[in-house]
Amino acid sequence: MRTLRIGTRGSRLALVQAAEVVGALRQLFDLELERVVIRTEGDRSPDVPLVGHGTLGFFVADIEEALLEGRIDIAVHSLKDMPTRLPEGLMIAAVTKRLDPRDMVVTQGGGLAQLGAGQVVGISSLRRTAQILHLRPDLRVSPLRGNVETRIRKMWQGSYDALILARAGLVRLGLGGLAGQILEPEAFLPAPGQGAVALQVRADDQEARQVVEALNHPDTSREVNAERSFLAALEGGCQVPIGALARVKGGELQLSGMVASLDGSMVLRDDCRESSGEPEDTGKRLADALLKKGAGEILRCVREAGVS
């Protein structure tokens, strides 16, 4: 078998995720694997705020281009960063077992309730902004960029009183014990696909596809397919205030979804359960239910504001 080149971003979190994939593949196969670090637009533009600048595919497009051009054979992505529409010729061949998908308030001590009115929370997405303002409209939110370690350092230096970060990333970096509060999905839904790692290949590369498929985690795949179908049906991207979380429990797929206004004054939520059928259909059904409740008007206002 040829040497398989694995493409990844160069952040410490991305390298940890790629190392997990390399280690898992080497446990299963006698392979020659080469890691290729690719700088994405998001890496080249560290000062561009993620909110309001059309950042769809900000962290994946350059890696996908390398895959299409044959410079790499397997792309490793944080699934939550991936647009729901993939470039022609590429496919997600596997999704590894998801870590904790929840978000977390990281502080210098205490949790959300201990933050005082007017304190500043560093946030990198409209989804997090809307939900925090819904829970605590008295707080101030401020755009947040940089890798996880940079964000935490800025908080300790006094730029922020708290941060909202994905718990899976903290755990992967050995920072799961930071002070703060895990935000439960009953009150705060994560991004579709959060905590999951996607492995993307060229659709016609049977060799790479067969290798990668061995790492697919069926329950995680079922969950994230429902979440991404929900997102796609609402024509949302990673920066639209849409949240979703699916869980497989006892064979039943349970999907929760949320659409919010930019200021958090309106939050629409609903749930859907499915014991059989395709997860994509479950996502579409939940999207239809929220559209009937008025989600379309909320998203129209978001798009007209020019921030998505």
Side-chain angles (χ1 to χ4, degrees), residues 104 227 258:
M104 181 175 177
E227 295 165 13
M258 177 280 299

Side-chain angles (χ1 to χ4, degrees), residues 45-68:
S45 307
D47 297 324
V48 175
L50 292 180
V51 175
H53 286 268
T55 54
L56 191 65
F58 208 42
F59 295 108
V60 303
D62 292 276
I63 299 176
E64 290 181 326
E65 181 180 353
L67 188 57
L68 284 168

Side-chain angles (χ1 to χ4, degrees), residues 37-272:
V37 175
I38 298 170
R39 293 190 74 214
T40 67
E41 183 181 358
D43 302 313
R44 296 191 300 271
S45 307
D47 297 324
V48 175
L50 292 180
V51 175
H53 286 268
T55 54
L56 191 65
F58 208 42
F59 295 108
V60 303
D62 292 276
I63 299 176
E64 290 181 326
E65 181 180 353
L67 188 57
L68 284 168
E69 293 176 352
R71 290 183 279 127
I72 60 173
D73 305 299
I74 300 168
V76 180
H77 302 288
S78 291
L79 184 57
K80 69 179 179 62
D81 292 334
M82 298 186 73
T84 55
R85 183 175 297 178
L86 302 181
E88 185 177 355
L90 300 185
M91 63 175 293
I92 296 175
V95 181
T96 63
K97 186 175 181 179
R98 173 152 64 176
L99 298 188
D100 190 339
R102 296 173 294 178
D103 279 316
M104 181 175 177
V105 180
V106 177
T107 67
Q108 296 188 35
L112 194 59
Q114 282 68 49
L115 293 174
Q119 288 196 282
V120 179
V121 183
I123 294 179
S124 61
S125 75
L126 296 176
R127 172 189 59 82
R128 288 171 174 159
T129 296
Q131 290 185 102
I132 280 294
L133 290 177
H134 183 71
L135 294 173
R136 289 289 307 273
D138 59 322
L139 295 175
R140 293 169 52 205
V141 298
S142 181
L144 183 65
R145 276 299 311 271
N147 59 40
V148 173
E149 297 94 335
T150 298
R151 297 179 186 191
I152 293 170
R153 184 173 65 252
K154 288 179 178 178
M155 182 189 71
W156 284 107
Q157 291 172 344
S159 299
Y160 306 95
D161 298 297
L163 310 172
I164 308 295
L165 299 172
R167 178 156 173 77
L170 295 172
V171 170
R172 282 193 165 99
L173 292 172
L175 300 172
L178 284 174
Q181 172 191 350
I182 294 174
L183 295 166
E184 298 298 339
E186 290 74 19
F188 201 100
L189 280 171
Q194 187 159 303
V197 173
L199 305 182
Q200 190 179 35
V201 300
R202 291 181 294 277
D204 62 358
D205 188 342
Q206 295 298 322
E207 192 172 52
R209 180 176 175 178
Q210 184 177 8
V211 166
V212 164
E213 284 176 345
L215 300 186
N216 190 58
H217 187 259
D219 282 352
T220 299
S221 180
R222 188 178 172 194
E223 291 167 356
V224 299
N225 284 344
E227 295 165 13
R228 285 171 59 79
S229 174
F230 170 75
L231 182 65
L234 293 173
E235 298 181 356
C238 60
Q239 281 302 319
V240 174
I242 295 173
L245 180 63
R247 288 299 206 193
V248 174
K249 296 182 179 180
E252 181 182 64
L253 180 67
Q254 304 174 8
L255 175 63
S256 298
M258 177 280 299
V259 174
S261 61
L262 292 174
D263 62 0
S265 60
M266 293 184 63
V267 174
L268 299 180
R269 287 186 57 132
D270 209 335
D271 302 282
C272 189

